[in-house]
Amino acid sequence: MKEKIEAVLAEIEALQCKTEAEIEEARVRLLGKKGEITALFEEFRSVAPELKREFGQKLNQLKNAAAAKIEAIKETLATTSTASSSFDATMPGDPYLLGSRHPVSIVRKEIVDIFRKFGYDVAEGPEIEDDWHVFEALNFPPEHPAREMQDTFFISAGHPDPILLRTHTSSVQVRAMEKLPLPIRIVCPGRVFRNEAISARAHCIFHQVEGLYIDENVTFADLKQAILLFVREMFGADASIRMRPSYFPFTEPSAEVDVSCNICHGKGCNICKGTGWLEIMGCGMVDPNVLEASGIDSKKYSGFAFGMGVERIAMLKWQVKDLRNYFENDLRFLREFETVI
Ligand code: PHE
């Protein structure tokens, strides 16, 4: 028995394993139910009583030595296998793509920031509105054909007080006139909805920034100056504007504003269709009816309002010809704006 114990001890000392499977195989061979050490314990039963103490100790040492060796091999295998894998801590990291602001957000912020510098506050309001704030208070009489200028999504059509998606953020101006103290100087950025077929030039959802200034003695000259200053901040110091007479139910007189084409600088190109001018917004002097509807004394106060489409300004700024690009979330398009921020 002594020789057998020594032989197994030598085997344990020489033991080498390269894989987990080999370790398990060695464990079973030595310590398993039918293993060599287990067999020696069986044999131990028939050892003469006076030798039991000596062999008992030896066998226990043997068992412990086997278990310790197997543990040690397991540990070295675990560390060497990490070191030999393809992980190299000195390699440069995987680059993370940076996110970016959406082009519409970039331009909306730019527009709002310009007016903030001029002293305008920002006002926001609900996208789901009532007829009063979108139409009635803005001098669109019921059944008036002007309501069809802005094909509306009704949530509850035919209801005595219909609920609808706002077609312009002028509704926020009405809310401001109803509750803010005078004078009022605000811009209203927001999402608006119109029941229009989606094309390169139109979408049923888009963004506006509208503005309102009400005080004593506000004139059309103030309106023109405010818009000229805005346009020069937005499109460059050499930009100029022209105003064409127009019609909105809530302003009188009303105008459409064109900015000199920033591509050809007035010479005429395909962006401005050879005219040298690009249409950017509607504006006008707030109709006295609108002031009165919100409880403002139109004899004492006057004001101007304007409204522009954010996508339209963004299209001009970056010469994007198809409005749908702004809504399709194509990463190839959006990544073009990564460096803008
Ligand atoms: N509310 C108008 C529109 O959505 C824009 C506008 C605002 C025109 C203020 C004049 C004055 O088209």
Side-chain angles (χ1 to χ4, degrees):
M1 180 147 197
K2 199 173 169 210
E3 292 79 46
K4 282 188 189 163
I5 292 175
E6 270 160 18
V8 176
L9 202 58
E11 186 190 337
I12 292 169
E13 270 162 21
L15 186 65
Q16 280 184 346
C17 303
K18 288 194 196 68
T19 62
E20 297 267 339
E22 278 180 31
I23 299 175
E24 181 59 10
E25 199 186 293
R27 191 191 65 78
V28 172
R29 191 173 69 238
L30 294 166
L31 297 164
K33 268 192 184 156
K34 292 179 184 158
E36 292 167 16
I37 296 173
T38 321
L40 285 174
F41 272 101
E42 290 290 323
E43 215 178 309
F44 174 72
R45 289 192 199 174
S46 48
V47 162
E50 67 275 17
L51 296 175
K52 274 222 149 93
R53 192 185 162 84
E54 185 193 339
F55 280 119
Q57 268 182 358
K58 283 214 161 91
L59 272 180
N60 276 328
Q61 280 166 3
L62 186 69
K63 191 179 162 189
N64 291 341
K69 178 80 184 208
I70 286 171
E71 262 324 295
I73 295 177
K74 263 192 194 164
E75 250 170 55
T76 37
L77 204 67
T79 44
T80 48
S81 68
T82 324
S84 66
S85 78
S86 58
F87 180 75
D88 179 353
T90 64
M91 291 282 283
D94 283 338
Y96 278 103
L97 288 174
L98 283 180
S100 56
R101 274 181 197 269
H102 191 279
V104 170
S105 303
I106 295 169
V107 173
R108 184 187 54 191
K109 182 172 181 305
E110 219 174 312
I111 298 169
V112 168
D113 284 351
I114 292 170
F115 282 103
R116 270 217 177 103
K117 267 202 303 206
F118 296 166
Y120 285 68
D121 288 328
V122 177
E124 288 187 53
E127 293 178 344
I128 299 174
E129 264 292 7
D130 50 33
D131 186 84
W132 170 261
H133 290 95
V134 177
F135 294 125
E136 192 75 30
L138 287 162
N139 207 29
F140 288 81
E143 314 303 332
H144 191 280
R147 287 183 188 234
E148 282 160 32
M149 279 169 71
Q150 306 185 347
D151 295 313
T152 311
F153 286 116
F154 284 96
I155 295 173
S156 61
H159 193 272
D161 190 11
I163 299 297
L164 43 98
L165 297 181
R166 68 181 178 194
T167 56
H168 51 184
T169 58
S170 304
S171 52
V172 183
Q173 304 182 344
V174 175
R175 287 183 180 274
M177 287 189 284
E178 285 170 347
K179 67 169 195 275
L180 293 184
L182 294 163
I184 293 173
R185 197 167 9 198
I186 51 165
V187 274
C188 315
R191 202 155 56 144
V192 299
F193 308 84
R194 291 185 195 179
N195 193 357
E196 288 195 36
I198 296 170
S199 71
R201 295 174 57 87
H203 208 286
C204 56
I205 302 177
F206 59 100
H207 299 78
Q208 283 189 324
V209 176
E210 295 215 354
L212 176 71
Y213 175 37
I214 301 176
D215 203 345
E216 289 176 38
N217 303 318
V218 178
T219 68
F220 200 93
D222 298 319
L223 166 64
K224 202 168 171 185
Q225 186 65 13
I227 289 173
L228 180 64
L229 287 176
F230 162 73
V231 160
R232 293 206 164 145
E233 290 278 326
M234 190 77 206
F235 294 99
D238 57 350
S240 50
I241 57 168
R242 74 174 184 187
M243 286 178 156
R244 289 175 287 108
S246 185
Y247 170 75
F248 298 102
F250 35 89
T251 46
E252 182 59 36
S254 305
E256 215 63 74
V257 180
D258 296 342
V259 61
S260 50
C261 179
N262 59 338
I263 318 293
C264 64
H265 300 282
K267 286 188 205 77
C269 65
N270 67 341
I271 301 283
C272 61
K273 299 200 193 76
T275 63
W277 295 98
L278 300 160
E279 186 185 316
I280 53 160
M281 68 171 100
C283 66
M285 299 306 291
V286 181
D287 193 299
N289 284 347
V290 172
L291 295 175
E292 296 291 340
S294 296
I296 295 173
D297 181 355
S298 64
K299 300 215 172 46
K300 186 162 174 218
Y301 291 98
S302 56
F304 64 71
F306 55 87
M308 66 194 104
V310 178
E311 285 81 359
R312 168 100 186 132
I313 306 275
M315 280 169 95
L316 299 178
K317 193 176 159 74
W318 288 303
Q319 289 134 56
V320 175
K321 295 215 179 87
D322 192 330
L323 183 66
R324 288 169 291 197
N325 282 317
Y326 289 120
F327 301 103
E328 282 168 1
N329 287 334
D330 184 332
L331 289 178
R332 289 167 303 180
F333 175 71
L334 297 178
R335 289 220 170 102
E336 304 252 335
F337 301 91
E338 256 169 23
T339 53
V340 173
I341 271 301

